[in-house]
Amino acid sequence: MSQENSTAISTGMYLVKLLAAYGVDTVFGIPGVHTIELYRGLAGSGIRHVTPRHEQGAGFMADGYARASGRPGVCFIISGPGMTNILTAMGQAYGESVPMLVISTVNAHGRMGSGAGWLHELPDQRGLTAGVTAFSRTIHRSEELAGAVAEAFAIFEGARPRPVHLELPIDVMLAPAGHLPVPERPARGARPAPDPMAIKAAAELLAGARAPLILAGGGAVRARDLPALAEALDAPVVMTTNARGILPPQHPLAVTLSASMPATRGLIAGADVLLAIGTELGPTDYDMYEDGGLSIPGTLIRADIDPRQARRGHPPAVVLPGCAALTATALRAALQDRTPVHGADATGATRAAQAQAGLRALPPEVRGDLALLEQVRAALPGALIVGDSTQAVYAGNMGFSASLPGGYFNSATGFGTLGYALPAAIGAALVEDRPVVALSGDGGLQFTMAEMTSATEAGVRVILLLFDNQGYGEIKSAMRQQNVPPLGVDILTPDLAAIARACGWSVVTVDAPDALAEALSAAEDAPGCTMIRYTDRLRQAFQARD
């Protein structure tokens, strides 16, 4: 432990030292009058500060950073409106199990919640965060801070990772903390390993399976031994949206067709033993149309870091609480000498191919958008694709195959926010040494398009693939399908290309598949950020190719 003896070290400065000790290298935030003391410590700390143009952008950037790096995204947020602005991003991170540390200020003791009308005063700031955090805490004394930060990192490293909120009353933030020790090497938590007896029970079930199946979710995206486990079992792997890339494109056991579709549901219903690993079996992945058609008659094994989640919904025969990566490794070791027991009908590759054939049953416009995404993957092998709630993303969630684990994620499942893609791509680009593509529509982009200036300022390289249909096209179609007159969906869309150029971006408009490939390749080599704009004309060209 190192210890600062100077009373000139405030609690705000001490916080920055703690963050540095835990390996934090980036903070997202907008300085304000109540957070100035945090910035006194940040200057010269070696921690990079990125300034978004809105606190929602800060939260989305932290989300993208966390997914790309595997480390928590950290935000400095001002009291009051700063906290209300970031709540949507915290809700998205909570729903997707993304680690995020939100540090805010709050009015001083004697002022907070007083109702007297102090600047940025809320009746109960922590109450706002209760539903979107693993925990929220007010630091009443400087001596409480180190323990609270340690507890936050214990959540990030050893439990289901979700946002944590710590708030510093202004008087505490300014209080002296030079007497407090800074751990040189903070005790770090190990990921929880599954119980050996439970592994043995699960392995025995899988070893005897004639038609095994793996249902993989985003919690398994860093389970490196999962492909080898699938191959040892000769088990198809159904990957949810956030799990795409665990098995690469063309892998014979890969199933990317959504589990909401009949062909994949048939595969699931025909399995005698199923391993659900790192997936909550949630409706937006398994019952998108809310028809209740998912059936799991086989023996279900659930592997989840959250033991409560493992018991929600479909009842399991065996529960494996613990880290998905450690679980996959342990099962692979337990099954290393296993010879697949083929059923009378088909091998795992044949069963996977039968499910994947269901892609042909998707509507033509969905298949066209999938072809567009495949063009992106072909032009930029290994690219990270970050999506908003937009047409290409909806199609991608139905069946797109990412090149690498964690190479495709978006906000169209779970909480389902708009405006996510651009700031999340910025956060990811800060840590990725590969192309980062943001998929957005013109409606969603207008939620956070001010972050185009943040990208330029931060010096990152982002390729924004923008579908410009002058409004909320998906909702317009849904209204028509339900015989509701389209209202509020044909919005005034400004000249987004001109705005992008004003923010220092390069801009190109494409209307043919070959032109898209050329634009993507050129954007990869460009020094800054690029907007590639397309309209229905390009979508129709891909549909015609299908």
Side-chain angles (χ1 to χ4, degrees), residues 198-471:
I199 287 290
K200 181 180 179 182
E204 289 175 352
L205 287 171
L206 290 165
R210 295 176 62 81
L213 183 67
I214 296 174
L215 306 176
V221 77
R222 287 182 167 81
R224 295 181 179 179
D225 285 331
L226 192 54
L229 173 62
E231 290 160 4
L233 292 169
D234 192 35
V237 180
V238 176
M239 292 170 280
T240 67
T241 294
N242 287 329
R244 303 289 170 77
I246 288 177
L247 294 186
Q250 312 309 320
H251 191 292
L253 296 174
V255 178
T256 59
L257 180 67
S258 168
S260 298
M261 296 300 293
T264 305
R265 286 180 167 184
L267 175 66
I268 293 171
D272 60 343
V273 180
L274 304 93
L275 170 65
I277 181 166
T279 174
E280 61 185 8
L281 296 177
T284 54
D285 279 310
Y286 294 87
D287 193 16
M288 185 176 66
Y289 301 110
E290 300 183 19
D291 58 12
L294 177 67
S295 175
I296 305 180
T299 301
L300 180 62
I301 302 164
R302 293 199 65 175
D304 201 294
I305 199 167
D306 184 348
R308 297 175 302 171
Q309 186 64 45
R311 291 169 173 82
R312 291 180 179 134
H314 300 273
V318 177
V319 174
L320 300 172
C323 167
L326 296 177
T327 298
T329 298
L331 285 172
R332 176 68 188 94
L335 292 163
Q336 61 183 352
D337 298 324
R338 193 255 186 183
T339 300
V341 180
H342 296 311
D345 294 331
T347 65
T350 301
R351 293 161 56 217
Q354 290 170 344
Q356 281 294 90
L359 287 167
R360 300 300 305 170
L362 293 172
E365 61 272 16
V366 175
R367 297 200 306 271
D369 282 338
L370 280 173
L372 185 152
L373 292 179
E374 288 162 4
Q375 177 80 287
V376 175
R377 188 185 64 215
L380 303 174
L384 173 61
I385 301 176
V386 183
D388 217 319
S389 293
T390 189
Q391 300 276 15
V393 170
Y394 299 138
N397 292 354
M398 298 304 295
F400 178 65
S401 181
S403 298
L404 297 169
Y408 176 78
F409 58 83
N410 59 73
S411 62
T413 61
F415 201 50
T417 55
L418 272 169
Y420 173 86
L422 174 60
I426 294 169
L430 288 166
V431 293
E432 286 287 355
D433 187 24
R434 56 172 167 162
V436 178
V437 179
L439 302 175
S440 184
D442 59 294
L445 178 64
Q446 290 184 69
F447 277 59
T448 53
M449 67 181 178
E451 305 306 347
M452 285 191 285
T453 59
S454 305
T456 302
E457 184 175 79
V460 298
R461 296 170 61 199
V462 171
I463 302 170
L464 172 61
L465 187 55
L466 177 71
F467 176 43
D468 190 350
N469 64 352
Q470 304 290 296

Side-chain angles (χ1 to χ4, degrees), residues 125-142:
Q125 187 166 272
R126 279 186 55 224
L128 291 174
T129 69
V132 292
T133 56
F135 73 88
S136 176
R137 183 166 303 161
T138 305
I139 307 302
H140 294 289
R141 299 167 55 249
S142 302

Side-chain angles (χ1 to χ4, degrees), residues 452 456 495-509 529 531:
M452 285 191 285
T456 302
D495 187 340
L496 298 174
I499 292 172
R501 291 189 184 98
C503 296
W505 287 49
S506 300
V507 179
V508 60
T509 298
C529 296
M531 172 192 284

